Amino acid sequence: MAGFPPPIFTPQVDVKTKIGEKVDYSNLPCPLIYEELHREAYMSLKPELFEGFRFDYNKMVNEKFFVTHSVLMGPTEVPTQHSEVIKIPTASYDFGAIFVDPKLMLLGRVTTDGRLNARGKCDLTENFSIKGTAQLTNEEHMSQGQLTFDYKGSDYRTQLQVGNGSIYGANYIQHVTPHLSLGGEVFWIGQNRKSGVGYTARYETDKMCHQVASGQVSSNGLAVMNYVQKVTEKLSLATDFIYNYISKDVTASVGYDRMFKQSRLRGKIDSNGVVAAYLEEQLSAGLRLLLSAEVDHVKKDYKFGFGVNVS
Amino acid sequence: MESTISLKTKGKGKGSKGASSSDDKSKFDIVKEWSNWSLKKAKVATHYGFIPLIIIIGMNSDPKPNLFQLLSPV
């Protein structure tokens, strides 16, 4: 969802009590959702880079109801068989509507070619919630949907996912010590008759997340490790290492995230020869300028984008 | 005569048994077909109706906005 303020994912962190110096294992905080374990690293290393011109207008109709209009003009990549990517200039207009309530969140975004990107989240009780996402198109058999059931315990979280095309997954994560949380997942993809297992770990030094290290291994060959250090309040550095032990593919990247008074600059450099930067500058109240650049020296692919975000 | 009658009834019995087993199979098929049909209709309904649903819910939420606030660019 390019150009969109990310939906509010607040980690459900409970206050932990310490009895003297002994760790109170019965009162550990609740870990982050499984998909969000690498959140700090991805905030620095994977900004929403784009190419072309982008204009987003977010209108607050109500405290709970928002409407967005976006226009994107630029080349979009069409993958071909020759592993060369062809860029076709396109222009598109998206309309989006968001409803945010403490118990219910609905988000819908529709483009001019009829594609709908819908998400919903409902907290049935304090600990149990149901999430659904769907990408619906007019083409036959290209639509996808997924339903997730989420249960949060005092220091653990568990999720069950059901997707179309008979995709099933379950994951579980538990805070083992006040700093370390471990988790695992299993998934089964019906169409390819593939199933897999994954493990993950996350270590963070304190609530302010000065240092976060996380790792994930899964049986489809992917091993990911990343480390984020908040050097000062305004600057954090992140590094990432992705290794595919089946295809023997390695990528390492280093990035930074620097907050200024009116702007935020994120940049990264990659072992594939990609250098990227993303700048968001608050020009005045309600007007933001976005500049994005992604330069791939190896493939000679240069992507530059600029955009305006009006709130 | 009796043998033919008995053969006929046997045939009929087998025929009815065969029909009921194929009936069971077709019941399962009917359930599958019906669930596919309802999923297709649900997909079309979601595709057209999700955004209007959000708009309706939003326009009826607490500080009730009016139509002008929704449509105007200010």
Side-chain angles (χ1 to χ4, degrees):
Chain A
M1 286 187 300
F4 218 68
I8 304 152
F9 280 125
T10 50
Q12 310 287 331
V13 175
D14 302 331
V15 174
K16 106 186 151 205
T17 58
K18 265 192 173 167
I19 304 177
E21 301 220 331
K22 206 160 149 253
V23 172
D24 185 8
Y25 280 102
S26 58
N27 206 4
L28 291 171
C30 200
L32 295 181
I33 306 181
Y34 201 86
E35 290 115 15
E36 293 232 313
L37 286 177
H38 308 300
R39 188 179 58 164
E40 280 85 4
Y42 288 165
M43 273 202 313
S44 302
L45 292 173
K46 294 199 183 356
E48 289 166 352
L49 301 165
F50 59 95
E51 186 176 10
F53 169 68
R54 195 165 94 175
F55 173 77
D56 300 316
Y57 175 50
N58 304 333
K59 180 173 165 73
M60 187 171 91
V61 180
N62 199 346
E63 292 151 356
K64 300 182 181 178
F65 180 46
F66 301 84
V67 161
T68 65
H69 305 266
S70 342
V71 175
L72 177 64
M73 292 188 230
T76 46
E77 295 179 349
V78 175
T80 60
Q81 299 97 340
H82 312 292
S83 83
E84 261 189 24
V85 175
I86 296 183
K87 293 195 189 177
I88 297 181
T90 51
S92 65
Y93 163 74
D94 292 5
F95 174 75
I98 317 178
F99 178 73
V100 181
D101 202 38
K103 284 207 158 178
L104 174 69
M105 184 203 77
L106 294 174
L107 192 155
R109 208 171 156 95
V110 67
T111 67
T112 40
D113 31 347
R115 266 182 305 146
L116 172 70
N117 188 351
R119 290 172 62 163
K121 175 173 190 269
C122 179
D123 292 335
L124 293 180
T125 75
E126 206 188 293
N127 291 334
F128 182 66
S129 68
I130 298 184
K131 287 193 286 202
T133 69
Q135 279 98 33
L136 302 177
T137 63
N138 279 330
E139 298 165 30
E140 285 283 324
H141 304 301
M142 294 284 285
S143 311
Q144 295 173 350
Q146 185 181 14
L147 199 59
T148 305
F149 302 94
D150 228 324
Y151 182 75
K152 175 179 76 154
S154 64
D155 60 358
Y156 66 91
R157 277 189 202 259
T158 171
Q159 271 186 351
L160 178 65
Q161 291 163 340
V162 176
N164 82 331
S166 61
I167 298 178
Y168 301 98
N171 62 46
Y172 177 78
I173 179 159
Q174 160 109 40
H175 238 289
V176 177
T177 75
H179 297 301
L180 176 69
S181 41
L182 301 174
E185 67 171 344
V186 293
F187 58 88
W188 186 68
I189 302 180
Q191 274 177 352
N192 308 347
R193 294 277 185 275
K194 258 173 46 169
S195 66
V197 186
Y199 303 99
T200 180
R202 178 185 158 101
Y203 182 82
E204 54 195 14
T205 47
D206 57 22
K207 282 295 169 293
M208 297 302 293
C209 293
H210 284 133
Q211 287 160 348
V212 176
S214 64
Q216 184 165 6
V217 177
S218 103
S219 69
N220 58 0
L222 211 56
V224 175
M225 281 179 285
N226 50 48
Y227 175 71
V228 180
Q229 164 126 20
K230 203 187 252 194
V231 176
T232 70
E233 261 175 33
K234 300 195 174 183
L235 173 65
S236 59
L237 300 173
T239 168
D240 190 359
F241 182 80
I242 300 179
Y243 174 53
N244 193 329
Y245 55 80
I246 290 181
S247 67
K248 301 278 189 276
D249 207 6
V250 178
T251 304
S253 57
V254 178
Y256 65 91
D257 183 351
R258 171 81 158 101
M259 303 268 211
F260 296 91
K261 233 186 335 183
Q262 307 272 21
S263 54
R264 181 175 181 189
L265 177 61
R266 286 178 267 186
K268 77 158 200 219
I269 180 163
D270 219 335
S271 67
N272 294 334
V274 176
V275 180
Y278 188 80
L279 169 71
E280 297 166 72
E281 170 117 20
Q282 193 89 26
L283 294 178
S284 63
L287 184 61
R288 259 198 325 174
L289 174 69
L290 309 167
L291 294 175
S292 150
E294 187 180 358
V295 171
D296 192 338
H297 291 288
V298 173
K299 292 192 206 158
K300 303 235 185 301
D301 185 14
Y302 311 113
K303 295 189 197 157
F304 296 98
F306 70 102
V308 175
N309 192 336
V310 181
S311 298
Chain B
M1 281 285 275
E2 290 167 348
S3 55
T4 50
I5 289 171
S6 62
L7 275 172
K8 265 192 195 163
T9 50
K10 243 195 201 168
K12 263 195 196 161
K14 266 193 192 159
S16 62
K17 230 166 119 188
S20 70
S21 66
S22 68
D23 255 344
D24 285 336
K25 275 189 196 160
S26 66
K27 268 186 206 156
F28 179 63
D29 283 340
I30 286 173
V31 168
K32 242 175 39 174
E33 252 183 60
W34 182 81
S35 69
N36 272 349
W37 175 89
S38 65
L39 270 180
K40 285 206 174 97
K41 295 298 179 193
K43 183 221 163 203
V44 173
T46 314
H47 203 159
Y48 284 107
F50 193 71
I51 297 230
L53 173 77
I54 300 182
I55 293 180
I56 288 174
I57 294 181
M59 296 300 279
N60 290 336
S61 62
D62 246 333
K64 192 163 172 182
N66 52 11
L67 197 58
F68 178 70
Q69 279 179 302
L70 175 68
L71 296 174
S72 86
V74 172

